[in-house]
Amino acid sequence: MKVLQDEIRNLEVDKVLDIGTGAGDFIKILKGGFKKFNHIIGVDSSKKALEMGRENIQDDRIEFRYMSGDRLEFDDSEFDVVSVSNSMHHFKDHSKVFEEVKRVLKPDGMVIVNEMFCDNQSKSQLSHVYLHHYMAEIDTIMGIVHRPTYKKQEIIDLLEDEGLKIIRIFEVKDEVFKNVEEEKKEIEALKKLFDKRLKDIEEHERYDEFVGRAKDIREHLDKYGIAGATQLVIIASK
Ligand SMILES: C[S@@+](CC[C@H](N)C(=O)[O-])C[C@H]1O[C@@H](n2cnc3c(N)ncnc32)[C@H](O)[C@@H]1O
């Protein structure tokens, strides 16, 4: 995410909010980018994810709070920057979240959205996309909100429909694996993940369909390997 860090390198900000922060991985990127910040708050609707975040980052200026993005417990115009990274496709109602984003953002504040997309990906990146869609569908069967990832233009349209003004767009393709051995190890771990997730839906009527799809994705993994899907980073204002 060097391109994003370079974009925010000269900014001195007071308060930053990261919605759907998970284990805080995007906070790490923001922290490495801003020239100066006083306070970053990461919120998430999963207590488990927040625990991981607190373990992951120990910094007096960074706080993790249990809160849903569609009901933020903050005042109007409280934040200089609000970010949403790879969470949009997890929101039950993204319109409500973006209403809240605009409410808590200062009038001249910055919105940063980072979201992986599913189109225009290489064969090895498609392994990531297929795997993600597969897991998202199993989550959906289990009652967890998890959509397939959007197409690039869908993300742009969605943010514009929410009334955000897009300032800049980057495509970021981070190298995930250092070498072939590391990639092979990851592929083996991912293949095992299929069995674990299939157990989650053992009794479901679509179980056999998912067994077949797991086989197809395993074959795709063997043939093309895996690389992280390209992500869209959008800088916007309200
Ligand atoms: C794939 S993770 C993204 C984590 C992190 N932002 C990143 O980029 O690595 C998506 C996160 O969104 C959270 N989430 C889903 N709906 C939410 C909501 N309404 N409010 C806050 N967090 C939410 C999930 O609990 C999950 O931790």
Side-chain angles (χ1 to χ4, degrees):
M1 280 289 169
K2 191 176 171 300
V3 65
L4 171 64
Q5 289 178 324
D6 287 346
E7 181 71 18
I8 60 177
R9 190 84 64 204
N10 292 324
L11 296 185
E12 294 191 17
V13 293
D14 181 23
K15 288 180 85 171
V16 179
L17 175 66
D18 185 44
I19 302 177
T21 198
D25 290 342
F26 198 66
I27 289 186
K28 279 191 185 162
I29 292 167
L30 296 175
K31 185 182 164 190
F34 290 122
K35 185 175 177 188
K36 188 170 173 261
F37 66 89
N38 289 326
H39 197 182
I40 300 181
I41 303 176
V43 299
D44 203 285
S45 55
S46 156
K47 286 186 177 168
K48 203 171 153 197
L50 291 166
E51 267 170 39
M52 284 161 67
R54 289 185 191 107
E55 267 175 37
N56 216 354
I57 308 177
Q58 278 119 31
D59 183 320
D60 290 344
R61 299 167 300 169
I62 294 170
E63 186 189 349
F64 289 92
R65 289 177 62 177
Y66 177 59
M67 202 182 296
S68 180
D70 52 25
R71 283 186 310 277
L72 294 173
E73 297 156 29
F74 299 111
D75 291 336
D76 295 357
S77 307
E78 206 178 315
F79 292 92
D80 300 280
V81 176
V82 180
S83 58
V84 178
S85 169
N86 280 319
S87 296
M88 235 162 72
H89 64 282
H90 286 262
F91 294 148
K92 190 170 171 193
D93 184 342
H94 55 69
S95 288
K96 275 193 185 165
V97 176
F98 283 106
E99 269 312 304
E100 284 291 82
V101 168
K102 288 186 282 179
R103 183 182 67 76
V104 301
L105 189 70
K106 287 182 182 168
D108 60 348
M110 174 191 271
V111 177
I112 304 174
V113 172
N114 172 45
E115 186 79 9
M116 88 179 244
F117 56 93
C118 61
D119 52 337
N120 297 315
Q121 307 284 346
S122 70
K123 293 261 197 259
S124 58
Q125 290 178 309
L126 279 177
S127 294
H128 182 193
V129 173
Y130 295 155
L131 206 77
H132 177 275
H133 287 185
Y134 183 86
M135 300 304 169
E137 258 194 85
I138 291 186
D139 281 344
T140 305
I141 284 174
M142 294 177 72
I144 299 163
V145 179
H146 196 176
R147 290 181 181 76
T149 46
Y150 297 101
K151 289 185 178 155
K152 181 181 158 181
Q153 191 60 43
E154 282 176 333
I155 300 169
I156 296 168
D157 292 346
L158 193 151
L159 295 181
E160 286 182 337
D161 287 349
E162 297 304 337
L164 292 172
K165 298 180 193 82
I166 294 177
I167 297 167
R168 218 181 294 282
I169 301 180
F170 311 107
E171 285 191 23
V172 178
K173 183 178 176 296
D174 278 340
E175 282 307 322
V176 184
F177 301 107
K178 290 190 190 76
N179 53 51
V180 178
E181 278 316 305
E182 201 182 295
E183 184 180 354
K184 269 190 186 159
K185 249 170 92 180
E186 177 67 12
I187 288 175
E188 287 316 307
L190 288 171
K191 283 181 179 173
K192 284 191 184 131
L193 188 63
F194 281 114
D195 297 331
K196 190 170 169 287
R197 292 313 310 269
L198 280 169
K199 268 208 159 49
D200 291 337
I201 53 160
E202 229 165 13
E203 307 294 327
H204 197 273
E205 57 187 8
R206 290 176 64 196
Y207 176 77
D208 288 343
E209 175 199 327
F210 279 90
V211 171
R213 279 174 56 187
K215 186 172 165 281
D216 291 346
I217 301 172
R218 279 183 171 123
E219 281 171 14
H220 189 96
L221 275 166
D222 282 335
K223 200 163 172 192
Y224 300 109
I226 187 164
T230 306
Q231 319 207 34
L232 205 61
V233 178
I234 298 183
I235 310 278
S237 64
K238 67 175 179 178

